[in-house]
Amino acid sequence: ELRGGIDEKYVGDLAERLDMDMDRRVRDCSSGMKRKIGLIQALMHRPQVLILDEPTNGLDPLVQQTFYQLMREVTAEGRTVFLSSHNLREVETICDRVGILNQGVLQAVERISTLKQVRFRWMTLRVANGADASAFERLAGVSDVSREDDSIRFRVTGELDPVIKLAAQYHVIDLTYEEPSLEEIFLEYYGEVQKRGQA
């Protein structure tokens, strides 16, 4: 009401989707309810640019999913969302590009898909009659090799050709391939920055 010129129907729609009772007094609301009110206030006038800081803190998982859907709708309309969050899964869900800050200095701005391609991936091989884990450890670009029963899991950086050729020497029952999470990329990137600083 203080803002004025608001589409009341849209406010009602946001309140319904975020499961917020708009008849409650703010001082009687929990922190999660206050977070919902803040989101409604941020969205209700359909701004061209949204700047959000840890927007889903205190929200239950179902409301978080609704929030993610709202953000997809905002960006589909051509509007921009700047999101500051320590929840990297949330960043991965909402954002197309990510900026990585280290001690207040912007270290990189990349598309999430690009960061994932240039870093590393995890592979798990399940083989009949076991496999020699140490053979995989000796391959260039392979690290963090672990073995459990008939499975070998490892991290691969660079080309997969040497891994595939070695795996072909075994009876492979199953092979899974996982992209790293944004959190793993983030930690890897900071590790590289620290190494460069010490060099």
Side-chain angles (χ1 to χ4, degrees):
E1 288 175 1
L2 286 170
R3 182 175 182 86
I6 298 301
D7 179 351
E8 294 292 339
K9 184 179 180 305
Y10 184 54
V11 172
D13 179 52
L14 289 171
E16 183 177 336
R17 291 179 70 183
L18 292 170
D19 192 26
M20 181 62 209
D21 177 3
M22 297 297 282
D23 292 326
R24 293 185 72 121
R25 297 174 70 85
V26 173
R27 67 174 170 231
D28 297 331
C29 291
S30 66
S31 60
M33 290 176 182
K34 288 176 182 173
R35 181 66 56 156
K36 291 177 188 181
I37 292 169
L39 289 172
I40 292 168
Q41 288 175 316
L43 293 164
M44 66 184 182
H45 58 291
R46 294 186 170 91
Q48 287 304 304
V49 177
L50 271 164
I51 302 174
L52 304 170
D53 184 17
E54 305 286 354
T56 59
N57 278 1
L59 298 181
D60 67 60
L62 290 175
V63 176
Q64 287 179 18
Q65 293 304 313
T66 300
F67 170 75
Y68 299 153
Q69 181 58 42
L70 285 167
M71 292 303 97
R72 285 189 284 270
E73 291 168 15
V74 165
T75 56
E77 292 169 6
R79 297 189 278 146
T80 301
V81 177
F82 282 103
L83 174 73
S84 172
S85 178
H86 289 89
N87 181 339
L88 296 176
R89 292 206 183 279
E90 180 171 274
V91 172
E92 214 168 351
T93 301
I94 297 172
C95 300
D96 299 315
R97 290 186 297 162
V98 62
I100 299 175
L101 289 169
N102 184 9
Q103 298 178 354
V105 177
L106 186 62
Q107 300 291 337
V109 177
E110 291 286 352
R111 294 192 88 67
I112 290 174
S113 57
T114 301
L115 278 177
K116 286 186 167 187
Q117 288 172 5
V118 299
R119 297 294 172 190
F120 59 90
R121 61 286 227 182
W122 290 98
M123 290 185 74
T124 303
L125 289 172
R126 192 159 67 88
V127 295
N129 305 318
D132 181 8
S134 64
F136 287 90
E137 287 175 338
R138 291 190 291 271
L139 293 176
V142 173
S143 61
D144 301 308
V145 179
S146 63
R147 181 173 178 174
E148 186 176 331
D149 299 326
D150 60 353
S151 294
I152 298 176
R153 186 172 193 266
F154 47 87
R155 193 171 103 153
V156 183
T157 304
E159 291 187 8
L160 292 176
D161 187 60
V163 174
I164 299 301
K165 286 178 177 169
L166 179 57
Q169 297 175 24
Y170 299 96
H171 180 111
V172 178
I173 298 168
D174 193 18
L175 180 149
T176 58
Y177 179 98
E178 309 161 44
E179 288 188 339
S181 68
L182 188 56
E183 183 170 5
E184 288 173 310
I185 293 171
F186 183 82
L187 293 172
E188 173 87 356
Y189 190 88
Y190 270 146
E192 289 178 9
V193 168
Q194 288 170 349
K195 283 179 194 171
R196 287 197 299 266
Q198 293 166 0

